[in-house]
Every structure is written in structure tokens, then in C-alpha cells.
């Protein structure tokens, strides 16, 4: 069997940041130009950062939902930038409590997957090719969900730490190889 290197990348980190103070959204829209606010369509502010590239939803409760970052480090950096912008406009005493909600990774396993065989062999998998070409596989440890394609490409979601994405994908790759489900 050839030595194949799995190519893994983090595609999206979704996090929440919570501050104890409530926010006056109308005050923010007049002072921060990058903000988009259409209260008839959505109850929160939308702000897009360019560096690091990320979008945040800001709610009156003091809760922020951040998406689009490519690492946990970028989330922390972006929240720090957002907090500074908010503090320039409104009085915020508390530090945000940041919690990673979901990390999405993508990978190429370096070969094709015998997807129909995998559907029969892997417990906790679901495959309906008439509905969707990917096999859905739920892994217990680390607790993640995969969408696996016959091409050898996959998406991993549900991780709370970047290291869990790498661990889960490598573990899945080993399982597929051990069960003879990879074609190189």
C-alpha cells in the first residue's frame, strides 16, 4: 500500500461570545460603519471583519455569534477587535466569555472510498445515494459527524477543538484502511 498523506484543513470555526451588559443596537449602527442592521428581517446586527475574515452577529442581550474564522486563534483575535469597537461606543465592563460551538474541517484522504461497502460495514452510518451522494458517519470519540464522498473527500463537523478535527479524520482514515475501504 502506498504511503498517502491526508490533506486536512479547518474551513470554519463557529463561536459565541457573551458579555454581561445589554447592548443598544441603534446606538451602535450610527457609530460603526461596517454594521448592517435590518430589524424587520433579522433581530441582530451583522458586522463583517476583513482581518481576520469573520462575520459576527450581535444581539441586544450581549451575545455575539461569530462565524467564518479558520482557527480558534482567529476567533479570539476577532472577538478582541469587536470588543474594542463596541467599547469605543458603549460602556462594557465585562470581558467576553468565548465558547467554541463547532469546528468544520475538510479533508482529502488521498484515494477513493468504497462508499457502498463503507455504508454496510461502518456502524452509525447512513447512506441514501438517491437522496445525497455522501455517506453520513457518526463517530463517538471524538464526537464528530462526517460526510464522506466516494472521491475520498470528506467534511468533519461537531468538533469543539481543532485538535479533535485532526484526531477524528486520522482515526476515520485508519478505520477505512483497516477495513479495506480505501482504493489508492
Amino acid at each position: 500500500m502506498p504511503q498517502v498523506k491526508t490533506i486536512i484543513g479547518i474551513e470554519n470555526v463557529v463561536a459565541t461570545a457573551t458579555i454581561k451588559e445589554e447592548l443598544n443596537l441603534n446606538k451602535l449602527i450610527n457609530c460603526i460603519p461596517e454594521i448592517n442592521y435590518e430589524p424587520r428581517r433579522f433581530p441582530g446586527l451583522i458586522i463583517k471583519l476583513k482581518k481576520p475574515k469573520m462575520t459576527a452577529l450581535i444581539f441586544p442581550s450581549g451575545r455575539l455569534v461569530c462565524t467564518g474564522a479558520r482557527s480558534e486563534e482567529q476567533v479570539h483575535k476577532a472577538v478582541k477587535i469587536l470588543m474594542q469597537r463596541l467599547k469605543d461606543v458603549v460602556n462594557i465592563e465585562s470581558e467576553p466569555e468565548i465558547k467554541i460551538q463547532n469546528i468544520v474541517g475538510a479533508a482529502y484522504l488521498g484515494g477513493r472510498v468504497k462508499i457502498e461497502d463503507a455504508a454496510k460495514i461502518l456502524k452509525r452510518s447512513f447512506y441514501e445515494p438517491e437522496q445525497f451522494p455522501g455517506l453520513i458517519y457518526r463517530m463517538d470519540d471524538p464526537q464528530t459527524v462526517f460526510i464522506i464522498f466516494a472521491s475520498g473527500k470528506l467534511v468533519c463537523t461537531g468538533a469543539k477543538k481543532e485538535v479533535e478535527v485532526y484526531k477524528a479524520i486520522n482515526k476515520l482514515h485508519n478505520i477505512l484502511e483497516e477495513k479495506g475501504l480505501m482504493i489508492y
Side-chain angles (χ1 to χ4, degrees):
M1 180 174 11
Q3 188 69 14
V4 177
K5 183 173 167 80
T6 305
I7 301 167
I8 303 172
I10 302 297
E11 299 299 317
N12 188 19
V13 179
V14 179
T16 55
T18 307
I19 55 175
K20 293 180 179 139
E21 292 85 3
E22 292 203 7
L23 299 171
N24 180 338
L25 300 186
N26 289 317
K27 188 173 183 181
L28 294 172
I29 60 171
N30 295 323
C31 298
I32 302 175
E34 299 93 350
I35 284 180
N36 184 3
Y37 185 44
E38 297 179 39
R40 290 186 184 135
R41 297 180 77 200
F42 186 72
L45 301 175
I46 301 170
I47 185 168
K48 295 184 181 208
L49 296 179
K50 288 187 170 116
K51 209 166 188 181
K53 189 174 181 185
M54 190 186 79
T55 300
L57 309 175
I58 303 171
F59 297 96
S61 63
R63 187 170 171 97
L64 289 74
V65 178
C66 307
T67 185
R70 295 288 181 116
S71 69
E72 293 174 69
E73 181 183 329
Q74 280 187 1
V75 166
H76 289 274
K77 185 177 179 182
V79 169
K80 186 175 181 179
I81 291 167
L82 285 170
M83 292 307 298
Q84 188 55 54
R85 289 206 180 150
L86 294 174
K87 286 178 180 180
D88 288 345
V89 179
V90 294
N91 185 30
I92 298 174
E93 298 293 327
S94 65
E95 286 299 314
E97 181 183 320
I98 300 171
K99 185 174 180 185
I100 303 296
Q101 300 294 333
N102 184 31
I103 300 178
V104 178
Y108 173 62
L109 300 175
R112 297 187 57 78
V113 177
K114 298 178 188 175
I115 203 84
E116 291 179 11
D117 292 344
K120 294 173 191 167
I121 293 171
L122 296 176
K123 291 179 168 67
R124 301 189 62 186
S125 68
F126 178 79
Y127 182 57
E128 287 290 334
E130 301 82 22
Q131 305 261 329
F132 183 70
L135 176 139
I136 298 168
Y137 172 65
R138 297 181 183 281
M139 182 179 283
D140 285 330
D141 182 33
Q143 193 170 13
T144 50
V145 178
F146 290 91
I147 301 173
I148 307 165
F149 297 95
S151 65
K153 293 182 179 178
L154 63 81
V155 175
C156 174
T157 186
K160 304 288 187 193
K161 297 187 174 299
E162 288 177 58
V163 68
E164 291 175 355
V165 172
Y166 294 101
K167 180 180 175 186
I169 291 172
N170 286 319
K171 182 177 178 180
L172 174 66
H173 196 182
N174 289 337
I175 290 168
L176 294 173
E177 284 186 336
E178 287 169 7
K179 298 194 180 289
L181 299 170
M182 292 296 303
I183 303 167
Y184 296 103

